[in-house]
Amino acid sequence: MNIDFKDKGIEPVLLSPVSFEQTVDHNQEIIPVVTIQQRIFTELDSLQIRGLAHKIVPFITDKIKQGGQDFFKELQLDCDWTINSRDKFFYLLEYLQSVPELNEVTVTATLRLQQIKDIQSNGIPPVKKATLLCYNTGNINQFGNHNSILNQQDLTTYLSSTLKNYPLQLDIVLPLFDRYVAFRDQKYIGISNHFSRYDLNDKSLFIKNPKTDLYILKQDLEKDSLKKGDVIRHEYVPNEQLVETAKFISKALDGKQNSIIFFHLAPEVVSNYETADLQKIISAF
C-alpha cells in the first residue's frame, strides 16, 4: 500500500493497495508493508499524523482478512525520510506502537544506505528492528554503462564501518529484479515495462553497444513512447555478484542476527535463478 497525495489534494490517501486473488496458506506469514512518500509529512501536524495512523490500522486489518488470515505479527513502514521529514515519520512509528490494536504487532521500518551511514543527521527510527534495502545504490538518472541497482563500491562506502555498530536488529534485502532504463539524448526518460531479455536479442529492434549493457533502439515503439535512437540500459545483478555482496554484508554485520529477504519473488524474476544459486547466496550469511 502506498500513501501519497492524490492529484493536487492536500490530504494523504491510501493508494495501490494489494488485492488478494486467493487466500494465503495459513502456514505462510503475511507482513503488510505501507510505503509513505516522505513529502506528505511537510503538510501534517501531530494530530493529522495520529489520524493517519487510525486509517492505516483498520485498512491493513481488513486486507489481512481478505488474504484469509486473522492476524499479523509485523507491520512495516517504508519511507525514504530526510532530515526535514524524519521527526514526523518517527512520530508516526512511535504512535502506531501505542495503538491498542497493534499491541501484539511489531512495528518495523525500512532503511536506505544513506539513512544508515549518517546516524547523526538521519537519526535512528524508534523501532526494535529495521529492514536494510541493499539495492538502488547508484544513480538511475545518470547515462552510461553502470548498474544503479547494486554497486559493490557503494555498499562498501556506506556499510563497512556502520553495520556492526548499528543499534537495531537488521534484516537484509537483496535484489533479484532487473529493469530496462531508457535514455534519449543521454537523458533519463523512464523505465520500460514492456521489454524482456529476449527482446534485447532481437536484431530487428536493437543494436547492442559492444562490451556494454546498452542497446540502441532501431525503430519507434509507441507502446513505450520510445523513439528510434533511444538507448536502453539493461540492469541486473548476476548471481556471482549477489554471492559476493552477501559475503561482504555478512562480514560487516559481524555476527548480528538477521534474516535475508529477496526482492522480489515474482515467477518471471525467480526464473532467472536456480534454487541452488539462491541457496548459495543464503549460505554466504
Side-chain angles (χ1 to χ4, degrees), residues 246-264:
K247 291 179 179 178
F248 163 76
I249 294 175
S250 178
K251 183 177 180 181
L253 284 169
D254 195 27
K256 290 185 67 173
Q257 181 182 358
N258 65 85
S259 295
I260 308 305
I261 302 167
F262 291 119
F263 179 73
H264 51 99

Side-chain angles (χ1 to χ4, degrees), residues 178-182 188 190-200 206 215 231-235 272:
D178 63 351
R179 63 189 175 200
Y180 303 85
V181 188
Y188 171 81
I191 296 176
S192 170
N193 296 316
H194 297 109
F195 290 130
S196 71
R197 299 187 183 202
Y198 301 104
D199 294 324
L200 297 180
F206 290 103
Y215 297 79
V231 176
I232 302 297
R233 180 173 68 215
H234 182 208
E235 297 188 347
N272 295 320

Side-chain angles (χ1 to χ4, degrees), residues 181-213:
V181 188
F183 295 87
R184 181 173 299 149
D185 299 326
Q186 298 192 5
K187 295 181 180 180
Y188 171 81
I189 58 174
I191 296 176
S192 170
N193 296 316
H194 297 109
F195 290 130
S196 71
R197 299 187 183 202
Y198 301 104
D199 294 324
L200 297 180
N201 294 322
D202 186 343
K203 294 183 179 180
S204 69
L205 277 178
F206 290 103
I207 300 173
K208 188 176 189 300
N209 191 325
K211 298 182 180 180
T212 73
D213 287 309

Side-chain angles (χ1 to χ4, degrees), residues 1-4 13-15 32-38 40 56 76-80 89 110 112:
M1 180 179 70
N2 186 26
I3 297 179
D4 198 354
V13 294
L14 311 178
L15 303 170
V33 179
V34 180
T35 298
I36 305 176
Q37 300 304 315
Q38 62 94 15
I40 74 166
I56 291 173
Q76 184 174 104
L77 269 66
D78 172 37
C79 181
D80 190 6
F89 175 60
T110 57
R112 273 100 177 144

